[in-house]
Amino acid sequence: MRARAALWFSGAWWLLPVAAVLSVLFADAGFPADGSYPLAGQVLGAQSVVLVAPVVGLAAAWVGGRLRSAGWVARPTVRPAWRVWLARLTPVVLVGWVAVEVSAVRGGVRAGGWALPPPGLAAVDLSQLAAAGAIGYAAGTWLRLPIAAPVAIVVPYVVLAFPPAMEPLWLRNMFGINNGCCLIYQSLSTRAVLASVLTGAALTLLGYGLVHRPVIQPIRPPARAAGAVVVCLALAGAAVIVRGMGPSPVQTRTGTTLCRGNAPSVCVWPEHRAELQTVEPFLVRVRTAAGASGVQLPQVLTESISVPLRWPRTKVQLAPHAGRALLQSSVLYSLFPQPFGRCTGVDSQSPAYFYQDAATITRAWWAAELGLSRGTVAEDAQLAQRVKQVRALPLPRQGELIDAAERAAVSCRPLPTMMQLR
Amino acid sequence: MIWALRARARPGSLVLILVPLLGIGLLSSTALPLPHLGFAATRVPLGEFLPCLTVAGLVSALAGGSPERELASSRRWFVLERLFVVCGCTAACAVVVLLSRLSSSPVTWEAVRNVYGFCGVALVGRALLGVTAATAVPLVYAIATAVFVTPYSSAWWGWAYLPSATEPNGWALAIFVLGLGVGCGRRVTRAAALGVVDSA
C-alpha cells in the first residue's frame, strides 16, 4: 500500500516507461569497440544515464512542485526533514536506476555475456541519478513548475553531457563513466568510480541543503556551514583522486587468462576463448617451422598487460569475431619483440626505423614460410626480393638471420646487411 | 495591461531568460557534446542549444497571469499574449546579436533562428499540453533532435542544428514552426471565460 502510494505520488509510474524506452534505445543503438567484452557493453548501455537523469530530475521537480503548490513545504513536519526528503525522492531515483541498470545488462548481453553490471558502475549510476533527483526536487520546492521543469532537466543534462569536452582531461572522470571504457585488457578504474560516486554524493547533499524548508524548521547555520564544508571537501577529494588520469576511466585489467600450448603458450582473456580455438592449430604450424629453422620464438603470447611485456613475452591482440586470416596476422605480429616506445626517432637512420625494418622483413619471412596469403602481410617489390634472397639460403642460416633481426629489434640497432631494406 | 505585464515579469522567468542569453553571447562557440544514438557524441555549439532555455523562460512567464480574469477582460488576450511572446523573442534576439557582436561570436544567426523556432515549438506544446508543461517542450525537442538526428544531416526535423548560412531551409522551418505555434491553440470565447469566472 505504501509502495503504491509512493509510486503514485512521486510520478514514478509515468517515469518508468519513459526511462525504460530511453534506456533500451540507447543500449541498442551503439556497439562497444570490443564486441565480445561484456563490461564494454555494460558501460555503453549505462550511458543512457545521460538521458534518464534529466527525466528523473523532471519527475523529482514535479514531486517538489506538488508539495510546494499544496503549501506543504512551508509547513512544519513531525518527521525529520531528511526522512520526508528520502521518502519523496527514493521511488523516482530507484525507478530511473533500475532502467539504467537494465540498459547496462542489455548492453552486456549484446556484447556477448549475461552478467550483472559491476558494483562500481551501478554505484556511479545511482549517485548521478540521486544528484539529478535531489537538484530537481530542490528546484521544485522553490520555483513554479514552469520554471523548475527546465532547470531540473537542463542541470543534470549539462552536468552529465559536458564532461567529454572538459579540460584538463582528468576532470572528465569526476562526472561519471563517460566513454573510452573498455578494451579487453582494461577494466573500470577504481579511482574514476570513487571520484564519480563522491561527486554524485556531494551534489546530492547540495540538493538536500537547497530544499525549501518551513520557517520554524530551518537548517541551523552551523549545520549549513558543516554541509558546505563537506560538499567542498568531497568535490576536492574527488578531484585529488582522479588528478593525473587520462581521459578514459580505465585501468589495466588483472585476472586469470586462459593459456594453451607451450613455447610459445598463448594466453587470452576468457571472452576470447572461441578465438583461441582458431589460433591453436596455427601455432602448431609456427612451432614446426621454428623447429626446422631454429628461429627463437617468444615464450608467451598474452592479451594481458598486467605484467610488464619484455622479450620473450609479447602481447597478442585477437579481434573478436574476426576471420582466420586476421587472427593469424595478429599472431604473426606477436611473434616479434615489441619495444613499446623504446626505439624512437624520425629520420631514416633512427632506432624507430631500424625496428620497423626488422619487424617488416621478419613478418614477411614468417608469412612466406607458413604459406600465408599475400593479403595477410603487406608486401612491396623490394621486400619480396629481400625475403626471396633470405629464403634461398639454407634453413639454419635463415634462422640465424631472423634471430639477428629479433636481437636488432630488441636493442634498436640496424639490421644485418643482407636484410636491410634501404 | 501594465498589471498583466507585471504579473508575467516574475524574477524566476527573467533569470531563465537572461542567463542563457548571456551564455549565448559569451560562450556560444563552446561546444556541448550531446549524446547521440549509435555514434559518438555530437558537438553542438552552446549558441544553438541555449535558446531553448531562453524560450522556456519566456513561455514560463505566460503562466504568471490570471487566465480567467484576462479572458474576461475587454482586451484580446489571445492576440496580446502571442504578441508578448514574439516581441519577447525579438528583444532576446537583439540582446543575442548585441552580445555576439561584442564578443565576435560565430553562431549568432543560428541562435536567432533557434529563439524563434523553439518559441514556436513551445507554443505548439502549450496548445497541446498546457502552459505548465510547455516550458519543457523546447528542451525535450532540442535534446531529442540531438539524440536522434545527426547535426548537419539536413533532416528537416533537425532544423535547429542546420548551419544558418548554407541551409536556408532551417530558417524556413523555424519560421513555419513559429507561425504554427502562434496560430494554433484554443481560442476561449469571452462568454465561456465569463462562465469559468462565474462558476469559480
Side-chain angles (χ1 to χ4, degrees):
Chain A
M1 184 65 189
R2 289 185 71 174
R4 205 171 68 178
L7 279 176
W8 170 80
F9 186 81
S10 64
W13 54 269
W14 65 260
L15 166 66
L16 181 61
V18 175
V21 166
L22 285 175
S23 295
V24 169
L25 273 175
F26 216 89
D28 281 6
F31 205 72
D34 192 319
S36 67
Y37 190 22
L39 177 63
Q42 286 168 349
V43 169
L44 193 76
Q47 300 269 306
S48 61
V49 74
V50 181
L51 297 181
V52 174
V55 183
V56 167
L58 178 63
W62 188 64
V63 176
R66 292 182 81 185
L67 292 175
R68 178 183 177 275
S69 59
W72 282 102
V73 289
R75 293 176 191 165
T77 54
V78 175
R79 285 190 295 169
W82 66 267
R83 280 186 62 187
V84 176
W85 177 78
L86 207 61
R88 298 284 72 84
L89 216 55
T90 305
V92 178
V93 173
L94 272 186
V95 163
W97 184 63
V98 168
V100 172
E101 295 319 298
V102 167
S103 162
V105 170
R106 193 176 168 82
V109 169
R110 289 188 74 224
W114 192 98
L116 287 175
L121 183 62
V124 170
D125 295 337
L126 184 61
S127 70
Q128 289 177 329
L129 292 171
I135 288 167
Y137 183 77
T141 58
W142 278 103
L143 305 167
R144 290 178 300 127
L145 200 52
I147 298 171
V151 170
I153 291 174
V154 101
V155 170
Y157 186 67
V158 171
V159 166
L160 291 176
F162 197 60
M166 279 183 179
E167 287 195 18
L169 299 177
W170 55 264
L171 208 55
R172 301 176 184 187
N173 298 307
M174 269 178 72
F175 296 91
I177 308 302
N178 295 302
N179 51 22
C181 178
C182 302
L183 294 172
I184 191 82
Y185 52 85
Q186 295 170 329
S187 64
L188 208 52
S189 162
T190 314
R191 289 165 69 189
V193 167
L194 267 177
S196 299
V197 170
L198 260 180
T199 307
L203 294 178
T204 309
L205 190 62
L206 182 69
Y208 174 71
L210 291 175
V211 170
H212 189 288
R213 284 170 199 286
V215 178
I216 62 167
Q217 283 181 327
I219 301 179
R220 297 183 188 286
R224 197 176 285 275
V229 168
V230 169
V231 168
C232 291
L233 279 180
L235 290 174
V240 167
I241 289 172
V242 293
R243 193 178 163 79
M245 281 182 74
S248 302
V250 294
Q251 63 188 23
T252 302
R253 184 182 181 185
T254 53
T256 315
T257 49
L258 287 175
C259 294
R260 293 273 193 280
N262 197 15
S265 64
V266 57
C267 300
V268 299
W269 293 108
E271 293 82 8
H272 287 172
R273 187 181 280 112
E275 282 72 29
L276 191 58
Q277 308 290 332
T278 314
V279 163
E280 267 193 288
F282 180 65
L283 274 175
V284 172
R285 284 169 60 195
V286 169
R287 283 188 206 105
T288 311
S293 59
V295 174
Q296 193 190 352
L297 287 176
Q299 292 300 304
V300 182
L301 315 179
T302 179
E303 285 193 319
S304 169
I305 56 167
S306 58
V307 177
L309 293 168
R310 286 205 181 86
W311 182 257
R313 185 184 176 89
T314 61
K315 181 185 169 189
V316 65
Q317 205 164 350
L318 303 181
H321 315 302
R324 202 162 57 104
L326 263 177
L327 290 174
Q328 289 176 345
S329 176
S330 300
V331 172
L332 216 56
Y333 268 73
S334 65
L335 292 178
F336 196 69
Q338 291 148 357
F340 293 106
R342 279 197 313 115
C343 305
T344 54
V346 288
D347 65 78
S348 60
Q349 290 302 309
S350 66
Y353 274 80
F354 298 153
Y355 174 82
Q356 197 54 45
D357 287 352
T360 306
I361 195 164
T362 309
R363 281 171 198 143
W365 179 84
W366 270 114
E369 193 67 17
L370 295 168
L372 299 184
S373 62
R374 288 175 64 87
T376 311
V377 176
E379 289 185 50
D380 60 32
Q382 192 188 2
L383 180 61
Q385 183 64 28
R386 277 276 181 255
V387 171
K388 201 173 170 183
Q389 286 171 1
V390 172
R391 293 198 72 219
L393 299 170
L395 260 180
R397 176 68 185 137
Q398 290 182 41
E400 282 170 17
L401 281 173
I402 296 298
D403 278 345
E406 285 175 353
R407 282 196 299 276
V410 171
S411 56
C412 306
R413 290 182 181 283
L415 280 166
T417 316
M418 191 187 167
M419 296 177 87
Q420 281 178 2
L421 293 174
R422 58 188 96 222
Chain B
M1 186 71 185
I2 291 169
W3 172 82
L5 281 175
R6 260 189 207 155
R8 281 165 176 75
R10 297 284 188 88
S13 299
L14 288 176
V15 169
L16 202 53
I17 293 168
L18 292 176
V19 171
L21 281 182
L22 277 176
I24 296 169
L26 304 175
L27 304 168
S28 61
S29 55
T30 306
L32 183 66
L34 301 183
H36 186 268
L37 282 185
F39 301 95
T42 38
R43 290 175 175 267
V44 172
L46 274 177
E48 293 180 15
F49 180 76
L50 285 179
C52 63
L53 270 181
T54 294
V55 167
L58 263 174
V59 177
S60 74
L62 297 183
S66 171
E68 292 87 0
R69 289 203 176 86
E70 289 171 2
L71 281 166
S73 77
S74 59
R75 294 180 192 276
R76 291 174 173 244
W77 281 103
F78 178 80
V79 177
L80 287 177
E81 216 169 44
R82 274 143 186 80
L83 205 62
F84 166 79
V85 175
V86 175
C87 289
C89 282
T90 308
C93 291
V95 175
V96 167
V97 172
L98 186 69
L99 286 175
S100 301
R101 285 288 169 269
L102 291 177
S103 63
S104 315
S105 175
V107 285
T108 313
W109 298 112
E110 280 87 350
V112 168
R113 176 197 62 198
N114 288 3
V115 167
Y116 284 115
F118 285 138
C119 185
V121 172
L123 289 177
V124 171
R126 184 179 184 235
L128 296 174
L129 304 170
V131 73
T132 306
T135 53
V137 173
L139 265 171
V140 172
Y141 184 82
I143 292 173
T145 44
V147 167
F148 291 106
V149 181
T150 312
Y152 310 118
S153 72
S154 302
W156 66 267
W157 58 87
W159 53 264
Y161 303 121
L162 292 175
S164 175
T166 55
E167 294 276 359
N169 291 346
W171 272 98
L173 282 160
I175 299 297
F176 171 74
V177 175
L178 179 67
L180 196 68
V182 168
C184 75
R186 263 190 321 162
R187 184 170 181 170
V188 182
T189 61
R190 200 172 301 159
L194 283 169
V196 171
V197 175
D198 287 346
S199 63

